[in-house]
Amino acid sequence: LAQAYLGRANSAALIHRFDAATADYARARIAFREANDRLGLLRVAANEGFLDLDQNRPAQALPQFVSAAEGFTQWGALNEAIYAYLGQIGCDLALLDHAAAQRAVEAAESLAQRIENATTRESVMLAKGRVFAASGRIREARAILEKIRKIISEASARHAESSAVASDASDFCASDCASGSFASNFILARTTPAIAMADGSLLVLR
């Protein structure tokens, strides 16, 4: 039942039915608590964080992501921990706390070295570029974009689809990185794609 509530909340959040999503996350939390499912509770918290972030409430979302990232890491749920860190980065940048964003991206990078999920690794790469751009490190942000462009080119050469993250960054790769709008545009790019986790339980909104 808890999983059903969580899935329904994720579906509602994806189409911006925020009130419905909030209600179902609350129902899922109660059901996971009754089942003593700690990992399920972490998934609810992370998704509520993304819901708050999607409604431009980074200060409210931030503690949810911090708690979720720590909990997921302790449980060995590395993909989910990384996306919690990416949510934290989105909050930190919105709150202009570039130092905290840098710490979060370093933590996400450390975990990303232990997984094989290409989309997750590219999400971390894009988030790192956002942090660099927000901090005025334009040359380093440009280098990140060049890496993403290489991913896109290699995928095209194999007649394969590039990942959602690489596709999201393609416009930036094609642009003049020296232009005055580069930093602001890159900072506003999505940190993460809308995806379902392997078990269908965690849907990342941004």
Side-chain angles (χ1 to χ4, degrees), residues 140-175:
E140 290 159 293
R142 183 187 296 117
I144 295 292
L145 293 183
E146 290 299 326
K147 290 181 181 179
I148 296 174
R149 174 156 51 190
K150 184 177 179 180
I151 291 170
I152 296 170
S153 298
E154 290 178 351
S156 297
R158 295 193 304 269
H159 303 288
E161 292 185 4
S162 57
S163 75
V165 178
S167 296
D168 284 341
S170 61
D171 288 343
F172 296 121
C173 294
S175 68

Side-chain angles (χ1 to χ4, degrees), residues 29-168:
R29 185 186 305 104
I30 291 170
F32 279 127
R33 187 176 294 123
E34 290 177 348
N36 197 28
D37 187 336
R38 174 60 178 159
L39 191 57
L41 289 170
L42 289 171
R43 287 168 174 155
V44 172
N47 278 285
E48 287 181 320
F50 282 108
L51 188 68
D52 284 330
L53 193 55
D54 204 43
Q55 297 175 85
N56 299 314
R57 299 197 297 246
Q60 186 170 330
L62 182 57
Q64 306 244 56
F65 288 128
V66 172
S67 176
E70 180 180 352
F72 283 136
T73 301
Q74 291 175 349
W75 278 88
L78 301 188
N79 273 285
E80 290 162 300
I82 288 169
Y83 279 104
Y85 277 120
L86 296 183
Q88 183 179 334
I89 291 164
C91 294
D92 290 333
L93 292 182
L95 296 170
L96 303 181
D97 191 344
H98 299 157
Q102 180 62 41
R103 290 192 297 270
V105 82
E106 289 171 359
E109 278 190 303
S110 177
L111 295 182
Q113 294 174 5
R114 298 163 57 187
I115 64 170
E116 297 181 0
N117 188 308
T119 297
T120 302
R121 292 198 306 269
E122 291 162 12
S123 294
V124 173
M125 188 185 305
L126 185 57
K128 185 176 183 179
R130 292 180 67 202
V131 173
F132 282 159
S135 303
R137 299 164 64 179
I138 305 302
R139 181 177 297 177
E140 290 159 293
R142 183 187 296 117
I144 295 292
L145 293 183
E146 290 299 326
K147 290 181 181 179
I148 296 174
R149 174 156 51 190
K150 184 177 179 180
I151 291 170
I152 296 170
S153 298
E154 290 178 351
S156 297
R158 295 193 304 269
H159 303 288
E161 292 185 4
S162 57
S163 75
V165 178
S167 296
D168 284 341

